[in-house]
Amino acid sequence: MKNYYDILQVNPKASPEIIEKAYHFLAKKYHPDMQSDEIEKLRCEQILKDLNEAYYVLSDVFLREQYDKELQNQNIQNKQNINTENRQENVENKSNVHNNLKDKINFNNFKNNIKANKRTNKKQEKKQNIQTNQEPERYEVGTFSALVAIVKRLIKDTPDAENIKKVNKKDIYIFIVAIVIVLIICVILWFIPFTNSFIRNIFFLK
């Protein structure tokens, strides 16, 4: 539906006199005889047809009333269509946001599953390492290789610095007393002839 008020460039509440003046002014301005270019003439002919049609309807009181009603209904319909389109856009935007949230949740779950798998793999590796480290080394008793194996075992089994800090004072005193007792026993065994010769054979001392 054409908007005759826009064609005549007047306000919808304009008086008949203003509509008439606007029509005569625009009719002179866009008259085809006033144009030199053929393309411009054709364009002005179409504009003049629209001007005549608009003036014919708006200059008649009855036709203008009917036209105003139809124009008002069309404006209401256009507003309703705009509102429905806006609602549809809002619904689509909400659905897009919901889908994006679902994608983020799925991605976060995927990341958490990867982290959980890494943790379980690390735990399994630690268990395997502990099992392999706990396997006893085979060596002949009373040989130099046996002594080396014992020293290696002691070095491997030394506790970490963090675990040492957690040890109680009583445990430290007991450990020191045990070392002193072992040293005393070693000194006593050194002065016994039989054990002395055995120790010399172990360390290749003559």
Side-chain angles (χ1 to χ4, degrees), residues 27-43:
K28 288 179 181 179
K29 181 180 178 180
Y30 293 105
H31 200 279
D33 295 336
M34 301 294 291
Q35 308 299 326
S36 59
D37 189 13
E38 292 296 328
I39 297 171
E40 194 67 22
K41 281 183 178 182
L42 293 173
R43 190 178 74 86

Side-chain angles (χ1 to χ4, degrees), residues 118-161:
K118 285 183 179 179
R119 288 173 185 171
T120 53
N121 291 329
K122 285 182 179 179
K123 287 180 180 179
Q124 289 177 357
E125 288 178 357
K126 284 182 181 179
K127 286 181 180 179
Q128 289 177 357
N129 292 327
I130 291 167
Q131 289 176 357
T132 53
N133 291 327
Q134 286 179 351
E135 290 181 358
E137 296 180 0
R138 296 180 180 179
Y139 52 85
E140 295 180 2
V141 180
T143 59
F144 183 74
S145 61
L147 182 63
V148 172
I150 292 167
V151 172
K152 286 182 179 179
R153 193 66 179 275
L154 289 172
I155 291 168
K156 287 182 181 178
D157 294 338
T158 52
D160 297 332

Side-chain angles (χ1 to χ4, degrees), residues 10-163:
V10 293
N11 193 285
K13 294 181 181 180
S15 63
E17 291 81 10
I18 293 171
I19 291 171
E20 186 177 359
K21 287 179 182 180
Y23 167 72
H24 289 300
F25 174 77
L26 294 173
K28 288 179 181 179
K29 181 180 178 180
Y30 293 105
H31 200 279
D33 295 336
M34 301 294 291
Q35 308 299 326
S36 59
D37 189 13
E38 292 296 328
I39 297 171
E40 194 67 22
K41 281 183 178 182
L42 293 173
R43 190 178 74 86
C44 289
E45 284 178 1
Q46 184 62 41
I47 293 171
L48 189 61
K49 286 180 182 178
D50 293 336
L51 289 170
N52 291 329
E53 184 181 346
Y55 180 69
Y56 176 77
V57 173
L58 298 180
S59 61
D60 187 275
V61 177
F62 178 75
L63 294 175
R64 185 176 179 182
E65 287 180 358
Q66 295 296 321
Y67 173 77
D68 288 340
K69 289 179 182 179
E70 290 179 3
L71 186 64
Q72 187 176 2
N73 291 329
Q74 185 180 6
N75 291 330
I76 293 168
Q77 187 66 32
N78 290 332
K79 287 181 181 179
Q80 289 177 352
N81 292 331
I82 290 168
N83 290 329
T84 53
E85 287 177 358
N86 290 330
R87 287 175 184 173
Q88 288 176 355
E89 287 180 358
N90 290 328
V91 171
E92 289 177 356
N93 291 328
K94 287 181 181 179
S95 63
N96 290 328
V97 169
H98 185 65
N99 291 327
N100 290 328
L101 288 172
K102 277 186 176 180
D103 293 335
K104 286 182 180 179
I105 291 166
N106 292 328
F107 181 70
N108 289 328
N109 291 329
F110 178 70
K111 285 171 72 177
N112 292 328
N113 290 329
I114 290 171
K115 288 180 181 178
N117 291 328
K118 285 183 179 179
R119 288 173 185 171
T120 53
N121 291 329
K122 285 182 179 179
K123 287 180 180 179
Q124 289 177 357
E125 288 178 357
K126 284 182 181 179
K127 286 181 180 179
Q128 289 177 357
N129 292 327
I130 291 167
Q131 289 176 357
T132 53
N133 291 327
Q134 286 179 351
E135 290 181 358
E137 296 180 0
R138 296 180 180 179
Y139 52 85
E140 295 180 2
V141 180
T143 59
F144 183 74
S145 61
L147 182 63
V148 172
I150 292 167
V151 172
K152 286 182 179 179
R153 193 66 179 275
L154 289 172
I155 291 168
K156 287 182 181 178
D157 294 338
T158 52
D160 297 332
E162 293 180 357
N163 294 326

Side-chain angles (χ1 to χ4, degrees), residues 154-155 157-173 175:
L154 289 172
I155 291 168
D157 294 338
T158 52
D160 297 332
E162 293 180 357
N163 294 326
I164 291 169
K165 291 179 182 178
K166 295 178 182 178
V167 175
N168 295 326
K169 291 182 178 179
K170 290 181 180 179
D171 296 331
I172 294 170
Y173 293 148
F175 180 72

Side-chain angles (χ1 to χ4, degrees), residues 172-186:
I172 294 170
Y173 293 148
I174 294 167
F175 180 72
I176 292 168
V177 170
I179 291 171
V180 171
I181 292 169
V182 170
L183 290 173
I184 292 168
I185 293 169
C186 290

